[in-house]
Amino acid sequence: MKALAIAADVSKASDVERACARVAAAFDGIDILVNNAGTGSSETIMEGGDDRWQYYWDLHVMAAVRFSRALVPLMRKRRGGVILNTASICAKQPLGTSPSTTPPRPRW
């Protein structure tokens, strides 16, 4: 069995691209991809600026999309594979603070 450690900020397309290129160079294909990146914050929807929203979108959504698009061809080389996408419990039960999960409410 062979392992490969790669440091990357998966919210950045260039880091995902570089990581996938290293995987492709090191292995003849892949069998499984686990998309499990995420974080939270204490900002409310009213406090989180566009830059924070973009960061959450790139980390929680686009990282999985980018890894999947890049690595499916390696799965096809082996005629199959599995992609496992995980999500935070906040997808079902939002916290009261995260800009990506908190609906706006007036604070008079």
Side-chain angles (χ1 to χ4, degrees), residues 8-11 34-41 52 55-64 67 85-90 95 98 100-101:
D9 177 347
V10 300
S11 72
V34 179
N35 287 310
N36 184 35
T39 191
S41 78
R52 295 301 291 167
Y55 170 74
Y56 289 126
W57 180 257
D58 287 336
L59 180 64
H60 295 145
V61 177
M62 291 308 298
F67 271 107
N85 295 310
T86 63
S88 167
I89 188 65
C90 294
L95 298 175
S98 179
S100 58
T101 61

Side-chain angles (χ1 to χ4, degrees), residues 68-80:
S68 297
R69 281 194 306 223
L71 296 177
V72 161
L74 294 178
M75 290 180 180
R76 287 183 174 152
K77 284 177 83 172
R78 293 193 174 174
R79 302 203 184 277

